[in-house]
Amino acid sequence: IRELNIKYIQPLRVADEFIVETQMVDVGAATVKIEQKFVKGGNICAIINLKVAYLGADMRPKRMPAKFIDGLI
């Protein structure tokens, strides 16, 4: 994970039932931006935005293989 931002809007409790809506916002050469919304009863409780990087064996960002990108889209 390269970046992570969480916006809390209203609380969720352990026993609450909720839905996590996940969307790929942007797919770059070596990174993917993802947004997740935690929804309970039609109300958004939290929004998470994260950016993940594809790393090579040397632990440096590396261009994602086309097969990998095709599997994301």
Side-chain angles (χ1 to χ4, degrees):
I1 296 176
R2 177 129 171 94
E3 296 174 13
L4 177 67
N5 182 345
I6 303 173
K7 180 179 180 181
Y8 294 103
I9 300 166
Q10 65 183 46
L12 285 170
R13 292 176 176 77
V14 174
D16 287 348
E17 290 189 24
F18 59 92
I19 296 171
V20 179
E21 299 174 354
T22 302
Q23 177 182 1
M24 302 277 181
V25 177
D26 184 45
V27 178
T31 60
V32 179
K33 291 182 183 177
I34 301 167
E35 179 180 86
Q36 292 186 313
K37 293 180 181 175
F38 291 70
V39 183
K40 180 181 95 174
N43 297 315
I44 298 173
C45 299
I47 300 172
I48 297 177
N49 287 289
L50 62 133
K51 184 177 187 179
V52 294
Y54 185 85
L55 304 177
D58 60 359
M59 299 304 290
R60 292 177 165 237
K62 180 179 176 180
R63 180 176 291 275
M64 290 184 277
K67 285 180 168 180
F68 187 80
I69 294 172
D70 292 343
L72 292 175
I73 300 174

